[in-house]
Amino acid sequence: MEEEKYKKNINLLKKWAYAYYVEDNPIATDEEYDKLNREVLEFENSNTSKIDISSPTQRVGDKILESFSKVEHITPMFSQEDIFNIEELKNWQSRIEKDITDIEYLCEPKFDGASLNLIYDNGILVKAITRGDGLKGEDVTLNARTIKSIPLNINYKELIEIRGEVVIKKDDFEFLNKERLTDNEYLFVNPRNAASGSLRQLNPKIASKRKLSFQVWGIGRNNLNYKKHSDKINFIYSLGFSKPIIYKLCSTTKDIENIYNEFINKRDNISIGLDGMVIKVNSIELQKQLGFTVKYPKWSCAYKFPAIEKVTIVKDIILQVGRTGAITPVAILEPIFIDGSTVEKSTLHNFNEIDRLGLKIKDKVIIIKSGDIIPKVIKVFKDRRDGTQIDIIKPTLCPVCKTKVVYEDIIIRCCNLECSSRVVNNIIHFSSKKCINIIGLGSKIVKQLVEENKVKSILDLYALRYEDLETLDGFKEKKINNLLKAIQNSKNQELYKVINSLGIEHIGEVASNIIAMKFGLNFIDAKKEELILIDGVGETMADSFVSFININRYKVIKLINLIEPSIKEENIINDNLFQNKTIVLTGSMSKSRNIIKKELESLGAKVTNSISAKIDYLIYGDNAGSKYDKAVKLGITLLTEKDMIKLLS
């Protein structure tokens, strides 16, 4: 093959790929495409210096990543304000149309996938970044290059960010799950889940097999000189990007509602999953005037589709234990296809919800699912019962560790420190800065230690030896010694930090300090009646504390013996202005607010973060902000830092 023929074949492959992946209108068979692709690849293997970087063969590299690096977006990637009905639409429009008439709106589909930011410079795709937190995302450029509806180069030389959604078509999703079922792999929950998971594959060759596509919905940094958003986006489509099946301009609420209903009527026949319609002010100048909130543009919103309802049967109830020990009932359903995916489970949140619904096992129920909302049971058909239904009984024991559970209002909780379902979260909290502060023991290492069965509880940390860690991936001599030293250094911590580190529900840093000052090492024998007498400790807190200690008594005693906590003799000054007062600190002060907080607590004050009518004093520094304004409105006594020092002296 001559070089000229090679160039022609590349252009032909691009043309066929564009027709298939962008226009959804194939003009060549898979066999023809694969045959020509092989011929191009043969030429490239023999002529490496002549390879065209835009060749379709260059989409998939051989490099497998170890992880994704974090990269900043040039301009922030905002989310959308959601609206759900005609009244909310009118309210949104009224905010837009205060002093302006004859506003033109652009209505386009809201694709249900994974958001991606493409950066082109000098016409070449240089970076692809996931949304992340809107300011910074993950660099998935190698995977994005495998998506055939993303051009590797465009006919526009200036720097530009092109934003859209990575999606997988409904048919491709079903085929992918059938393959995974055959290979005994876990199934993707829905097309969005499949698209997101594929985009974050560390091996680009796997991502390339998933038949992902890219749908444009916006533009970030750009120098395009258009007065209308529709003209801007049409220019982007002309660069080789896919255009949505419905894409219309309108000017009235009625027009918007008509287009919205058109979307709803056609959504089942559209090959890509949609979860709503996006409405944008079309004027670029007006967009600039309206600006942004912290989260989303004021000139744009997502009109979400109504929930889809289906009838199925609750086959069973299972209990899941969360990281904090909360036990959640989950309904196992007769599988039913709803809104783009097969639903087999539905969370019931808590047993109060089961009582409210009057639900029994084998009941026929209505399930709803809408966009990102987890499938939910909303109604029980009690009149369809046939006598086979079974009552759902609240658990008395944890389904994982078989320890007696604690009832906390509507929450049922396992408080066992050694329950395998909550041990990772227990250790992460225990070793955090405000607790025992084991430097270097982050969440990843905790998970690794638990998964490798090196620790099964907090107590096991203090039994770790060098030889336990040297076989672990990523643990070298220096890292092992530093971690073991940090664990040893965590001993002799102040008692209140040890109490706080236990992760007792409702007992935070302030309450831990109060209990430590009141009882010292005898806190383990504190009775509910004694705790309630302490200012700042309510009945719920007392119940939680006593229940936790009853369940973990011998583990806590063993931990105290291991750590040997120090007890600071806190001399609470009697008859001072701040004793038994509730205080809020705000603004910049001469020293850390955390230090001032501890000083005030040593005087018998309770320091909190929230402003309410129950607050006695607001002590403020520079740039006090909204807490100061709210305190003024509520008539709370205001003190500067100098006022506080003066009153103390």
Side-chain angles (χ1 to χ4, degrees), residues 505-519:
E505 192 70 14
H506 307 302
I507 306 296
E509 192 178 8
V510 174
S512 297
N513 197 20
I514 294 169
I515 291 168
M517 288 194 301
K518 173 71 177 174
F519 297 100

Side-chain angles (χ1 to χ4, degrees), residues 337-560:
F337 192 80
I338 177 170
D339 196 22
S341 63
T342 300
V343 174
E344 298 181 70
K345 292 180 181 179
S346 171
T347 179
L348 290 160
H349 303 293
N350 51 61
F351 280 85
N352 276 29
E353 179 70 359
I354 290 174
D355 293 341
R356 186 186 69 79
L357 290 165
L359 179 66
K360 296 186 178 186
I361 295 169
K362 295 190 179 181
D363 267 335
K364 284 193 174 181
V365 296
I366 293 178
I367 297 285
I368 65 161
K369 182 167 177 276
S370 175
D372 293 336
I373 297 172
I374 297 167
K376 182 179 179 182
V377 176
I378 62 163
K379 183 177 174 60
V380 175
F381 289 111
K382 296 175 185 176
D383 58 332
R384 301 189 191 184
R385 288 176 176 163
D386 58 8
T388 63
Q389 282 66 35
I390 303 166
D391 289 337
I392 299 166
I393 309 299
K394 289 182 181 179
T396 55
L397 301 178
C398 170
V400 176
C401 67
K402 307 306 177 189
T403 302
K404 188 176 179 181
V405 299
V406 174
Y407 286 66
E408 298 174 351
D409 194 20
I410 64 170
I411 302 296
I412 299 175
R413 193 181 303 277
C414 171
C415 292
N416 179 14
L417 276 171
E418 295 183 351
C419 180
S420 60
S421 290
R422 55 173 292 174
V423 67
V424 169
N425 204 50
N426 286 345
I427 297 174
I428 290 171
H429 176 75
F430 176 82
S431 57
S432 63
K433 190 173 181 180
K434 288 190 175 182
C435 297
I436 292 298
N437 191 22
I438 301 177
I439 297 166
L441 188 59
S443 58
K444 285 185 179 179
I445 294 177
V446 172
K447 287 171 187 172
Q448 188 178 7
L449 291 173
V450 173
E451 286 168 4
E452 297 283 347
N453 286 319
K454 300 299 180 184
V455 295
K456 293 181 180 177
S457 73
I458 290 166
L459 293 166
D460 292 342
L461 289 174
Y462 293 93
L464 280 173
R465 300 168 300 168
Y466 189 97
E467 48 269 35
D468 295 325
L469 302 173
E470 62 182 344
T471 57
L472 296 179
D473 187 35
F475 277 78
K476 299 288 191 296
E477 184 180 357
K478 186 177 179 182
K479 183 174 180 178
I480 294 171
N481 287 330
N482 285 344
L483 179 58
L484 292 175
K485 186 179 178 182
I487 291 171
Q488 290 307 308
N489 288 344
S490 71
K491 291 182 177 181
N492 305 122
Q493 287 279 8
E494 291 179 57
L495 178 61
Y496 86 91
K497 287 193 173 186
V498 178
I499 297 172
N500 190 35
S501 73
L502 298 173
I504 306 170
E505 192 70 14
H506 307 302
I507 306 296
E509 192 178 8
V510 174
S512 297
N513 197 20
I514 294 169
I515 291 168
M517 288 194 301
K518 173 71 177 174
F519 297 100
L521 288 175
N522 294 322
F523 76 90
I524 202 157
D525 295 314
K527 294 180 174 57
K528 178 181 175 180
E529 309 83 68
E530 295 173 313
L531 289 162
I532 291 173
L533 292 174
I534 302 172
D535 184 47
V537 176
E539 191 166 343
T540 300
M541 295 167 72
D543 281 335
S544 183
F545 186 88
V546 171
S547 297
F548 181 93
I549 296 297
N550 285 343
I551 290 167
N552 296 286
R553 183 179 183 82
Y554 296 107
K555 297 166 199 139
V556 174
I557 290 172
K558 193 173 180 181
L559 187 66
I560 293 295

Side-chain angles (χ1 to χ4, degrees), residues 50-116:
K50 296 178 179 178
I51 294 175
D52 187 327
I53 61 167
S54 70
S55 168
T57 63
Q58 302 304 298
R59 285 188 174 274
V60 187
D62 294 322
K63 184 180 178 183
I64 298 176
L65 299 173
E66 292 183 6
S67 63
F68 295 110
S69 59
K70 294 282 186 182
V71 184
E72 285 188 16
H73 300 292
I74 299 173
T75 56
M77 277 186 87
F78 291 91
S79 55
Q80 294 285 347
E81 177 183 1
D82 290 337
I83 61 172
F84 295 90
N85 53 54
I86 188 72
E87 288 306 313
E88 291 182 7
L89 170 61
K90 287 176 180 176
N91 289 338
W92 178 78
Q93 279 185 283
S94 67
R95 296 201 303 268
I96 302 289
E97 299 174 354
K98 280 179 183 174
D99 304 308
I100 308 165
T101 55
D102 301 325
I103 294 179
E104 187 175 52
Y105 297 97
L106 177 67
C107 297
E108 58 189 15
K110 184 178 184 300
F111 299 103
D112 195 14
S115 294
L116 188 66

Side-chain angles (χ1 to χ4, degrees), residues 17 21-22 59 146-151 212-215 240-242:
Y21 290 100
V22 178
R59 285 188 174 274
T146 72
I147 301 172
K148 294 182 173 66
S149 54
I150 294 178
L212 301 173
S213 62
F214 181 77
Q215 301 290 326
F241 292 92
S242 182

Side-chain angles (χ1 to χ4, degrees), residues 306-321:
I308 295 173
E309 298 183 359
K310 291 286 180 74
V311 176
T312 188
I313 296 171
V314 174
K315 293 164 60 179
D316 199 2
I317 298 292
I318 61 170
L319 302 175
Q320 290 184 343
V321 184

Side-chain angles (χ1 to χ4, degrees), residues 585 589-601 607 619 641 644:
L585 302 173
M589 300 188 192
S590 62
K591 52 188 172 182
S592 163
R593 288 210 303 264
N594 206 35
I595 292 171
I596 296 172
K597 175 175 179 279
K598 287 182 179 178
E599 289 174 354
L600 288 167
E601 286 172 348
V607 182
I619 300 173
E641 185 184 3
M644 175 189 75

